[in-house]
Amino acid sequence: MTAERTGGCLCGAVRFAARDVPGKCGVCHCEMCRRWTGSALIGVTVPTGSVTFSGDGLRVIQSSGWAERGFCGECGSGIYFRVTREGEWFGNTELPIGIFDDANGFEITNEIYIDHKPDSFSYEGMQGRRLLTRAECVEKFSALEGGGPED
Ligand SMILES: [Zn+2]
Ligand SMILES: [Zn+2]
């Protein structure tokens, strides 16, 4: 089941509205997401074409050879993660669950870079959720021309 959802940054300079939002989310434990969020990225994946941003705060950095991250230039909230290179994960936008106005109703169905998760915490989620190691993730990128073993 999908739904329409809205959200925004801490200060309100960036807002989003998304259609086709699933009731599931995924966790990334890679070092970049850990530093970017201060913990781990719990992201909700929506088709890039179904999310619109408003306000004048949105800034974007190319965070690696295959992805970019949007954030609020005023307050620093992370707004999205998006793969910019063709491949299995291209065409989607990951919205951090914490910036949804209502962050309830999502179930964790996968965790990636699971072998990089700090031993300080763990998440609960769907039984039998998909777990991918760093190597398994990098393989998805490295199969592409110019891919490399970066996070
Ligand atoms: Zn802001
Ligand atoms: Zn990550």
Side-chain angles (χ1 to χ4, degrees):
M1 200 182 78
T2 60
E4 269 190 48
R5 298 257 195 169
T6 57
C9 69
L10 179 63
C11 76
V14 181
R15 296 286 303 166
F16 77 82
R19 292 173 283 107
D20 307 322
V21 180
K24 60 186 185 179
C25 58
V27 182
C28 183
H29 297 288
C30 84
E31 182 178 343
M32 293 185 71
C33 286
R34 178 162 61 79
R35 293 184 189 279
W36 190 56
T37 61
S39 49
L41 174 61
I42 307 178
V44 178
T45 303
V46 299
T48 293
S50 75
V51 59
T52 54
F53 297 98
S54 57
D56 56 9
L58 188 63
R59 304 288 181 274
V60 179
I61 58 162
Q62 190 78 34
S63 54
S64 72
W66 57 64
E68 64 182 21
R69 291 169 196 258
F71 63 99
C72 176
E74 300 296 322
C75 71
S77 290
I79 302 296
Y80 72 76
F81 170 88
R82 185 181 286 165
V83 171
T84 53
R85 191 181 285 172
E86 300 277 344
E88 181 180 338
W89 292 333
F90 182 76
N92 293 319
T93 295
E94 302 269 343
L95 299 166
I97 195 171
I99 67 167
F100 282 75
D101 292 329
D102 178 2
N104 293 295
F106 297 104
E107 185 173 39
I108 297 172
T109 56
N110 67 77
E111 286 184 61
I112 64 173
Y113 285 72
I114 189 67
D115 51 332
H116 283 234
K117 183 185 76 62
D119 63 9
S120 310
F121 61 84
S122 57
Y123 292 102
E124 290 184 5
M126 188 187 79
Q127 279 289 325
R129 64 187 179 278
R130 190 179 184 202
L131 303 176
L132 292 179
T133 63
R134 177 183 186 277
E136 289 166 333
C137 293
V138 169
E139 194 176 305
K140 290 182 182 297
F141 294 115
S142 300
L144 306 165
E145 188 179 349
E150 56 183 305
D151 286 345

